Amino acid sequence: MAGDARTKILVSFGTRPEAIKMFPVIKALTKFSQFDVKVAVTAQHREMLDQVLEVAKITPDIDLDLMLHGQSLDALAARILTEFGQVLDAQRPDRVLVHGDTLTTSMVAQACYFRQISVGHVEAGLRSGDNYAPWPEEVNRKIVSTIADLHFAPTKAAAEALQQENVPDDRIHVTGNTVVDALLATRKALHSTPSLAPQIAQLAKLHQNKRIIAVTAHRRENLGQGMRNIAAALKLISARDDVAIIYPLHPNPQVSEIMRHGLADAFNVSLIEPLDYPAFVALLELAYIVLTDSGGVQEEAPSLGKPVLVMRDTTERPEGIDAGTARLVGTDPADIVQATTRLLDDRAAYAAMSKAHNPYGDGNAAMRIAQIIADIG
Ligand code: UD1
Ligand code: UDP
């Protein structure tokens, strides 16, 4: 539109977790008439991204469709950088919003930097202190922190990490994590419309009278031996007849092949396709314990009061551990089995880890982010 004085905001993302955490931001931004909001996805993930877009009813304005099976980090990074650069040249946004720590996040920020376009970083300031865990996410975050001029830190600790890296105070805003917005809205929808998650209702029936252990795992630093260890631990746990494991597999063949092979003859295990977001939230609600190496799941489970055993050696999300609902157990099968068995057999240990906390937010993070951008102009 000629003479359009609105601020042009381009929201970009590429993977499932970014989409889950950005859809509340898109919805909040569109409530402000002074913004012209467009959505550009790299589609670094395809099917898992589309699951979220469909549920959130978001149709991207630009879809680069960049997922290729087996592409290297270099190839993916190069394609995002060049193709997103062309999007920026065509769209000429005033601001770009990126989320979190993926290659999409760092390369979109880099393409913005080359054009001196303002970058707002949602979920800024998470640090594990180890460049190789999570890998390559720790360095992706640092790249974006160097480039961004608006940093939306989910927690006080994340804001402090940015201050320690000399990010000016007036560019850091503690907003809460938008994953809590997505989780609470989805849980509300599920409670009013239980038919939103039919596959979980079926699985609950199949595993009646068993305690459900929900599992997810996909981290690059766990590919290979880490995944084989996790499969071995799950097989041992599944030998108990009072539990059932429900595990939506990440479609990366380096994850799914190891798990299908390692758990081929395990009892009480449902290896299933990735769930859409409402179904996964329903699974979290059904679960007695959550075993994961995912970032987002570490943030969601404490809000639901579900004990989370984190199959990593370190985390950039210490708040769940400090709150007592999450525990780092690494990927040694003996450690995973021991920690799980304790939660299953020791009521006091379970009770201590199963109190609901919201260390990551109150469900209003997205509106805070939109308001901050509106105030800045
Ligand atoms: C990516 C992000 C990671 C994030 C994770 C969330 C990078 C380097 N990694 O990791 O930070 O935590 O997403 O899940 O940015 N695949 C499909 N369909 C899909 C998605 C993936 O088939 O919808 C398969 C493809 O073969 C793809 C592979 O999984 O090549 C790996 O995908 P990729 O985006 O490179 O890395 P992730 O391990 O998913
Ligand atoms: N999730 C989902 N379906 C599934 C498994 C996970 O919708 O089958 C959601 C989960 O609720 C969380 C997000 O996906 O919000 C986590 O994504 P992932 O584990 O892929 O990435 P990470 O959080 O580790 O970056």
PDB file of all heavy atoms in Angstrom, residues 332-353:
ATOM      1  N   ASP A 332      23.869 -41.962  30.415  1.00  0.00           N
ATOM      2  CA  ASP A 332      24.311 -43.296  30.827  1.00  0.00           C
ATOM      3  C   ASP A 332      23.061 -44.114  31.169  1.00  0.00           C
ATOM      4  O   ASP A 332      22.242 -43.674  31.986  1.00  0.00           O
ATOM      5  CB  ASP A 332      25.218 -43.142  32.054  1.00  0.00           C
ATOM      6  CG  ASP A 332      25.803 -44.474  32.484  1.00  0.00           C
ATOM      7  OD1 ASP A 332      25.019 -45.438  32.620  1.00  0.00           O
ATOM      8  OD2 ASP A 332      27.030 -44.544  32.669  1.00  0.00           O
ATOM      9  N   PRO A 333      22.905 -45.301  30.533  1.00  0.00           N
ATOM     10  CA  PRO A 333      21.663 -46.061  30.769  1.00  0.00           C
ATOM     11  C   PRO A 333      21.409 -46.328  32.250  1.00  0.00           C
ATOM     12  O   PRO A 333      20.266 -46.222  32.718  1.00  0.00           O
ATOM     13  CB  PRO A 333      21.883 -47.370  30.005  1.00  0.00           C
ATOM     14  CG  PRO A 333      22.934 -47.071  29.001  1.00  0.00           C
ATOM     15  CD  PRO A 333      23.775 -45.963  29.541  1.00  0.00           C
ATOM     16  N   ALA A 334      22.467 -46.654  33.006  1.00  0.00           N
ATOM     17  CA  ALA A 334      22.274 -46.978  34.432  1.00  0.00           C
ATOM     18  C   ALA A 334      21.709 -45.770  35.183  1.00  0.00           C
ATOM     19  O   ALA A 334      20.824 -45.913  36.043  1.00  0.00           O
ATOM     20  CB  ALA A 334      23.601 -47.418  35.046  1.00  0.00           C
ATOM     21  N   ASP A 335      22.198 -44.582  34.847  1.00  0.00           N
ATOM     22  CA  ASP A 335      21.722 -43.380  35.539  1.00  0.00           C
ATOM     23  C   ASP A 335      20.262 -43.074  35.186  1.00  0.00           C
ATOM     24  O   ASP A 335      19.470 -42.671  36.041  1.00  0.00           O
ATOM     25  CB  ASP A 335      22.595 -42.171  35.173  1.00  0.00           C
ATOM     26  CG  ASP A 335      24.012 -42.313  35.702  1.00  0.00           C
ATOM     27  OD1 ASP A 335      24.207 -43.098  36.656  1.00  0.00           O
ATOM     28  OD2 ASP A 335      24.930 -41.663  35.154  1.00  0.00           O
ATOM     29  N   ILE A 336      19.925 -43.251  33.900  1.00  0.00           N
ATOM     30  CA  ILE A 336      18.535 -42.977  33.483  1.00  0.00           C
ATOM     31  C   ILE A 336      17.595 -43.968  34.174  1.00  0.00           C
ATOM     32  O   ILE A 336      16.550 -43.587  34.721  1.00  0.00           O
ATOM     33  CB  ILE A 336      18.392 -43.086  31.937  1.00  0.00           C
ATOM     34  CG1 ILE A 336      19.250 -42.033  31.247  1.00  0.00           C
ATOM     35  CG2 ILE A 336      16.924 -42.937  31.519  1.00  0.00           C
ATOM     36  CD1 ILE A 336      19.342 -42.185  29.723  1.00  0.00           C
ATOM     37  N   VAL A 337      17.983 -45.231  34.186  1.00  0.00           N
ATOM     38  CA  VAL A 337      17.116 -46.261  34.798  1.00  0.00           C
ATOM     39  C   VAL A 337      16.989 -46.008  36.300  1.00  0.00           C
ATOM     40  O   VAL A 337      15.891 -46.058  36.865  1.00  0.00           O
ATOM     41  CB  VAL A 337      17.673 -47.686  34.521  1.00  0.00           C
ATOM     42  CG1 VAL A 337      16.873 -48.731  35.288  1.00  0.00           C
ATOM     43  CG2 VAL A 337      17.653 -47.978  33.024  1.00  0.00           C
ATOM     44  N   GLN A 338      18.093 -45.685  36.930  1.00  0.00           N
ATOM     45  CA  GLN A 338      18.050 -45.492  38.388  1.00  0.00           C
ATOM     46  C   GLN A 338      17.152 -44.303  38.768  1.00  0.00           C
ATOM     47  O   GLN A 338      16.315 -44.401  39.675  1.00  0.00           O
ATOM     48  CB  GLN A 338      19.476 -45.272  38.906  1.00  0.00           C
ATOM     49  CG  GLN A 338      19.578 -45.436  40.405  1.00  0.00           C
ATOM     50  CD  GLN A 338      20.423 -44.343  41.034  1.00  0.00           C
ATOM     51  OE1 GLN A 338      20.802 -43.361  40.371  1.00  0.00           O
ATOM     52  NE2 GLN A 338      20.711 -44.485  42.299  1.00  0.00           N
ATOM     53  N   ALA A 339      17.306 -43.195  38.032  1.00  0.00           N
ATOM     54  CA  ALA A 339      16.504 -42.001  38.351  1.00  0.00           C
ATOM     55  C   ALA A 339      15.017 -42.260  38.087  1.00  0.00           C
ATOM     56  O   ALA A 339      14.147 -41.824  38.861  1.00  0.00           O
ATOM     57  CB  ALA A 339      16.996 -40.816  37.521  1.00  0.00           C
ATOM     58  N   THR A 340      14.722 -42.999  37.017  1.00  0.00           N
ATOM     59  CA  THR A 340      13.323 -43.294  36.689  1.00  0.00           C
ATOM     60  C   THR A 340      12.731 -44.243  37.728  1.00  0.00           C
ATOM     61  O   THR A 340      11.597 -44.043  38.214  1.00  0.00           O
ATOM     62  CB  THR A 340      13.231 -43.922  35.277  1.00  0.00           C
ATOM     63  OG1 THR A 340      13.930 -43.094  34.358  1.00  0.00           O
ATOM     64  CG2 THR A 340      11.782 -44.068  34.825  1.00  0.00           C
ATOM     65  N   THR A 341      13.483 -45.258  38.087  1.00  0.00           N
ATOM     66  CA  THR A 341      13.004 -46.236  39.059  1.00  0.00           C
ATOM     67  C   THR A 341      12.708 -45.563  40.399  1.00  0.00           C
ATOM     68  O   THR A 341      11.709 -45.856  41.059  1.00  0.00           O
ATOM     69  CB  THR A 341      14.068 -47.352  39.240  1.00  0.00           C
ATOM     70  OG1 THR A 341      14.368 -47.870  37.958  1.00  0.00           O
ATOM     71  CG2 THR A 341      13.571 -48.463  40.148  1.00  0.00           C
ATOM     72  N   ARG A 342      13.567 -44.646  40.776  1.00  0.00           N
ATOM     73  CA  ARG A 342      13.362 -43.942  42.047  1.00  0.00           C
ATOM     74  C   ARG A 342      12.034 -43.186  42.020  1.00  0.00           C
ATOM     75  O   ARG A 342      11.246 -43.252  42.972  1.00  0.00           O
ATOM     76  CB  ARG A 342      14.541 -43.001  42.294  1.00  0.00           C
ATOM     77  CG  ARG A 342      14.423 -42.221  43.569  1.00  0.00           C
ATOM     78  CD  ARG A 342      15.764 -41.871  44.179  1.00  0.00           C
ATOM     79  NE  ARG A 342      15.543 -41.192  45.458  1.00  0.00           N
ATOM     80  CZ  ARG A 342      15.663 -39.874  45.624  1.00  0.00           C
ATOM     81  NH1 ARG A 342      16.053 -39.093  44.627  1.00  0.00           N
ATOM     82  NH2 ARG A 342      15.414 -39.331  46.800  1.00  0.00           N
ATOM     83  N   LEU A 343      11.786 -42.491  40.921  1.00  0.00           N
ATOM     84  CA  LEU A 343      10.522 -41.737  40.836  1.00  0.00           C
ATOM     85  C   LEU A 343       9.316 -42.677  40.845  1.00  0.00           C
ATOM     86  O   LEU A 343       8.254 -42.335  41.377  1.00  0.00           O
ATOM     87  CB  LEU A 343      10.505 -40.884  39.564  1.00  0.00           C
ATOM     88  CG  LEU A 343      11.295 -39.582  39.602  1.00  0.00           C
ATOM     89  CD1 LEU A 343      11.240 -38.892  38.242  1.00  0.00           C
ATOM     90  CD2 LEU A 343      10.752 -38.642  40.677  1.00  0.00           C
ATOM     91  N   LEU A 344       9.478 -43.849  40.252  1.00  0.00           N
ATOM     92  CA  LEU A 344       8.351 -44.790  40.191  1.00  0.00           C
ATOM     93  C   LEU A 344       8.090 -45.460  41.544  1.00  0.00           C
ATOM     94  O   LEU A 344       6.942 -45.753  41.889  1.00  0.00           O
ATOM     95  CB  LEU A 344       8.634 -45.881  39.140  1.00  0.00           C
ATOM     96  CG  LEU A 344       8.574 -45.435  37.670  1.00  0.00           C
ATOM     97  CD1 LEU A 344       9.171 -46.510  36.760  1.00  0.00           C
ATOM     98  CD2 LEU A 344       7.136 -45.118  37.248  1.00  0.00           C
ATOM     99  N   ASP A 345       9.162 -45.669  42.311  1.00  0.00           N
ATOM    100  CA  ASP A 345       9.024 -46.487  43.521  1.00  0.00           C
ATOM    101  C   ASP A 345       9.031 -45.693  44.824  1.00  0.00           C
ATOM    102  O   ASP A 345       8.675 -46.237  45.868  1.00  0.00           O
ATOM    103  CB  ASP A 345      10.152 -47.537  43.567  1.00  0.00           C
ATOM    104  CG  ASP A 345      10.001 -48.555  42.449  1.00  0.00           C
ATOM    105  OD1 ASP A 345       8.889 -48.667  41.900  1.00  0.00           O
ATOM    106  OD2 ASP A 345      10.995 -49.222  42.111  1.00  0.00           O
ATOM    107  N   ASP A 346       9.480 -44.460  44.774  1.00  0.00           N
ATOM    108  CA  ASP A 346       9.624 -43.687  46.006  1.00  0.00           C
ATOM    109  C   ASP A 346       8.635 -42.509  45.958  1.00  0.00           C
ATOM    110  O   ASP A 346       8.867 -41.517  45.270  1.00  0.00           O
ATOM    111  CB  ASP A 346      11.089 -43.203  46.089  1.00  0.00           C
ATOM    112  CG  ASP A 346      11.375 -42.360  47.334  1.00  0.00           C
ATOM    113  OD1 ASP A 346      10.409 -41.833  47.938  1.00  0.00           O
ATOM    114  OD2 ASP A 346      12.555 -42.218  47.678  1.00  0.00           O
ATOM    115  N   ARG A 347       7.533 -42.658  46.691  1.00  0.00           N
ATOM    116  CA  ARG A 347       6.469 -41.643  46.627  1.00  0.00           C
ATOM    117  C   ARG A 347       6.948 -40.263  47.053  1.00  0.00           C
ATOM    118  O   ARG A 347       6.551 -39.247  46.477  1.00  0.00           O
ATOM    119  CB  ARG A 347       5.292 -42.054  47.521  1.00  0.00           C
ATOM    120  CG  ARG A 347       4.388 -43.046  46.864  1.00  0.00           C
ATOM    121  CD  ARG A 347       3.227 -43.426  47.763  1.00  0.00           C
ATOM    122  NE  ARG A 347       2.468 -44.499  47.134  1.00  0.00           N
ATOM    123  CZ  ARG A 347       1.562 -44.326  46.175  1.00  0.00           C
ATOM    124  NH1 ARG A 347       1.275 -43.119  45.770  1.00  0.00           N
ATOM    125  NH2 ARG A 347       0.936 -45.347  45.635  1.00  0.00           N
ATOM    126  N   ALA A 348       7.806 -40.236  48.071  1.00  0.00           N
ATOM    127  CA  ALA A 348       8.284 -38.933  48.568  1.00  0.00           C
ATOM    128  C   ALA A 348       9.146 -38.257  47.502  1.00  0.00           C
ATOM    129  O   ALA A 348       9.026 -37.041  47.266  1.00  0.00           O
ATOM    130  CB  ALA A 348       9.081 -39.129  49.849  1.00  0.00           C
ATOM    131  N   ALA A 349       9.988 -39.041  46.835  1.00  0.00           N
ATOM    132  CA  ALA A 349      10.842 -38.474  45.777  1.00  0.00           C
ATOM    133  C   ALA A 349       9.960 -37.949  44.652  1.00  0.00           C
ATOM    134  O   ALA A 349      10.216 -36.871  44.094  1.00  0.00           O
ATOM    135  CB  ALA A 349      11.808 -39.539  45.246  1.00  0.00           C
ATOM    136  N   TYR A 350       8.893 -38.700  44.342  1.00  0.00           N
ATOM    137  CA  TYR A 350       7.990 -38.257  43.273  1.00  0.00           C
ATOM    138  C   TYR A 350       7.269 -36.964  43.681  1.00  0.00           C
ATOM    139  O   TYR A 350       7.212 -36.004  42.910  1.00  0.00           O
ATOM    140  CB  TYR A 350       6.973 -39.349  42.932  1.00  0.00           C
ATOM    141  CG  TYR A 350       6.123 -38.955  41.740  1.00  0.00           C
ATOM    142  CD1 TYR A 350       6.588 -39.183  40.445  1.00  0.00           C
ATOM    143  CD2 TYR A 350       4.900 -38.306  41.900  1.00  0.00           C
ATOM    144  CE1 TYR A 350       5.847 -38.779  39.343  1.00  0.00           C
ATOM    145  CE2 TYR A 350       4.153 -37.895  40.809  1.00  0.00           C
ATOM    146  CZ  TYR A 350       4.624 -38.130  39.534  1.00  0.00           C
ATOM    147  OH  TYR A 350       3.899 -37.723  38.447  1.00  0.00           O
ATOM    148  N   ALA A 351       6.759 -36.961  44.913  1.00  0.00           N
ATOM    149  CA  ALA A 351       6.006 -35.780  45.378  1.00  0.00           C
ATOM    150  C   ALA A 351       6.891 -34.536  45.346  1.00  0.00           C
ATOM    151  O   ALA A 351       6.452 -33.444  44.964  1.00  0.00           O
ATOM    152  CB  ALA A 351       5.467 -36.022  46.779  1.00  0.00           C
ATOM    153  N   ALA A 352       8.171 -34.704  45.708  1.00  0.00           N
ATOM    154  CA  ALA A 352       9.080 -33.552  45.748  1.00  0.00           C
ATOM    155  C   ALA A 352       9.290 -32.951  44.365  1.00  0.00           C
ATOM    156  O   ALA A 352       9.543 -31.753  44.230  1.00  0.00           O
ATOM    157  CB  ALA A 352      10.420 -33.977  46.347  1.00  0.00           C
ATOM    158  N   MET A 353       9.182 -33.774  43.329  1.00  0.00           N
ATOM    159  CA  MET A 353       9.443 -33.265  41.963  1.00  0.00           C
ATOM    160  C   MET A 353       8.166 -32.921  41.191  1.00  0.00           C
ATOM    161  O   MET A 353       8.249 -32.478  40.047  1.00  0.00           O
ATOM    162  CB  MET A 353      10.223 -34.308  41.149  1.00  0.00           C
ATOM    163  CG  MET A 353      11.713 -34.328  41.429  1.00  0.00           C
ATOM    164  SD  MET A 353      12.605 -35.375  40.260  1.00  0.00           S
ATOM    165  CE  MET A 353      12.736 -34.325  38.811  1.00  0.00           C
TER     166      MET A 353
END
